[in-house]
């Protein structure tokens, strides 16, 4: 399998501050990465699709000005939660897509647990 | 709306038994299918990919794909308590976009 890292693994911040989460594909190049959010005992929710060198595509209902995504290189995407509030507390998981000929596989990072106090 | 449907469970099997997890999908154009395992509090881990009709075996896991019936399954042989997790079925659309099912919770009783 391929390796996707995520940093930090957990973070506690105060309401109103911003938090940046990094996602890296360690052993493959990922032109496309994805950001998910998952609340306890709920399904994965896709927040946005991040494409290297272009603007991210956000899912309906996700505020692009609040969740800033930058895909600066083929191995790095960042998610910045701006002006965080307690309701933003969640498990944020990135995922990277590895293309293989006419197919692909998608690998997840270990996730970042965000708590906003 | 392209969907992937799974029974939420929980599916409970005794240790050593075969666990059978099932999934259906609505997009006939899907070409790639995946099974992920997610332990509580952890992120999903890719355990099987299948792209052609038929069976694909990897250790104790066998994925089965039937495109005519739009059906994907995962068999876990000799189930162990450590297999207890939520299993996510996913289908890849023509644009390489992955649609995830809500997951089936599996409990393997010792």
């Amino acid at each position: 399998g391929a390796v996707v890292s995520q940093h930090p693994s957990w973070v506690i911040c105060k309401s109103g501050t911003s938090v940046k989460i990094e996602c890296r594909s360690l052993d493959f190049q990922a032109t496309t990465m994805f950001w998910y959010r998952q609340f306890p005992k709920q399904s994965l929710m896709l927040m946005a699709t991040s494409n290297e060198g272009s603007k991210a595509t956000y899912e309906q209902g996700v505020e692009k000005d609040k969740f800033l995504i930058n895909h600066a290189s083929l191995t790095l995407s960042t998610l910045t939660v701006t002006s965080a509030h307690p309701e933003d507390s969640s498990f944020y998981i990135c995922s990277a897509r590895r293309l293989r000929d006419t197919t692909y596989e998608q690998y997840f990072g270990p996730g970042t647990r965000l708590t906003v106090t | 709306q392209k969907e992937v449907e799974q029974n939420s469970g929980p599916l409970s099997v005794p240790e050593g038994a075969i666990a059978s997890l099932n999934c259906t999908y609505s997009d006939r154009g899907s070409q790639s299918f995946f099974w992920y395992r997610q332990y509580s509090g952890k992120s999903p881990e890719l355990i099987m990919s299948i792209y052609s009709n038929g069976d694909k075996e990897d250790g104790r896991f066998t994925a089965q794909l039937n495109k005519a019936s739009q059906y994907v399954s995962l068999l876990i042989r000799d189930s162990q308590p450590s297999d207890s997790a939520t299993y996510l079925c996913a289908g890849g659309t023509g644009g390489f976009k992955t649609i995830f099912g809500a997951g089936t919770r599996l409990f393997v009783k010792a």
Side-chain angles (χ1 to χ4, degrees):
Chain A
V3 181
V4 177
S5 72
Q6 206 171 323
H7 178 81
S9 56
W10 59 271
V11 58
I12 300 173
C13 71
K14 291 187 176 181
S15 187
T17 61
S18 295
V19 173
K20 180 186 280 189
I21 302 170
E22 289 189 352
C23 176
R24 295 181 184 271
S25 56
L26 298 186
D27 53 359
F28 67 99
Q29 292 183 332
T31 54
T32 303
M33 292 184 173
F34 306 89
W35 288 94
Y36 294 84
R37 181 166 57 180
Q38 188 173 38
F39 293 105
K41 299 190 184 301
Q42 294 190 20
S43 304
L44 287 173
M45 188 194 85
L46 178 65
M47 300 176 65
T49 300
S50 166
N51 295 295
E52 187 266 336
S54 64
K55 291 183 179 180
T57 302
Y58 291 82
E59 296 298 303
Q60 192 171 8
V62 178
E63 299 175 59
K64 63 181 181 181
D65 295 329
K66 180 169 183 63
F67 299 99
L68 301 179
I69 292 171
N70 186 287
H71 195 147
S73 75
L74 289 172
T75 59
L76 173 64
S77 177
T78 60
L79 168 69
T80 301
V81 182
T82 62
S83 186
H85 288 96
E87 58 265 31
D88 298 323
S89 298
S90 188
F91 190 40
Y92 291 86
I93 314 172
C94 75
S95 181
R97 185 170 70 198
R98 181 172 76 174
L99 298 178
R100 311 186 75 164
D101 298 325
T102 59
T103 63
Y104 75 100
E105 290 176 334
Q106 190 170 323
Y107 297 92
F108 285 87
T112 296
R113 198 161 300 282
L114 170 64
T115 301
V116 184
T117 60
Chain B
Q1 181 85 4
K2 297 171 182 174
E3 294 180 339
V4 173
E5 301 282 347
Q6 295 181 256
N7 188 317
S8 62
L11 172 66
S12 184
V13 300
E15 183 175 0
I18 296 175
S20 178
L21 303 163
N22 305 310
C23 167
T24 58
Y25 61 93
S26 64
D27 182 11
R28 284 197 170 274
S30 294
Q31 296 295 319
S32 308
F33 301 89
F34 312 96
W35 282 99
Y36 291 82
R37 176 177 61 198
Q38 186 175 23
Y39 291 113
S40 181
K42 303 293 185 182
S43 67
E45 174 192 9
L46 179 64
I47 55 173
M48 290 288 284
S49 306
I50 187 166
Y51 308 103
S52 305
N53 274 329
D55 296 359
K56 179 181 178 182
E57 187 174 317
D58 184 0
R60 295 187 295 113
F61 299 102
T62 299
Q64 299 174 318
L65 173 60
N66 184 325
K67 290 186 178 180
S69 301
Q70 296 178 243
Y71 179 89
V72 192
S73 66
L74 179 70
L75 301 178
I76 306 175
R77 289 181 300 281
D78 188 24
S79 295
Q80 302 297 310
S82 58
D83 294 325
S84 298
T86 296
Y87 288 80
L88 305 176
C89 173
T93 68
F96 293 161
K97 182 173 182 178
T98 308
I99 308 296
F100 287 86
T104 298
R105 287 177 295 149
L106 172 67
F107 290 110
V108 180
K109 298 175 294 184

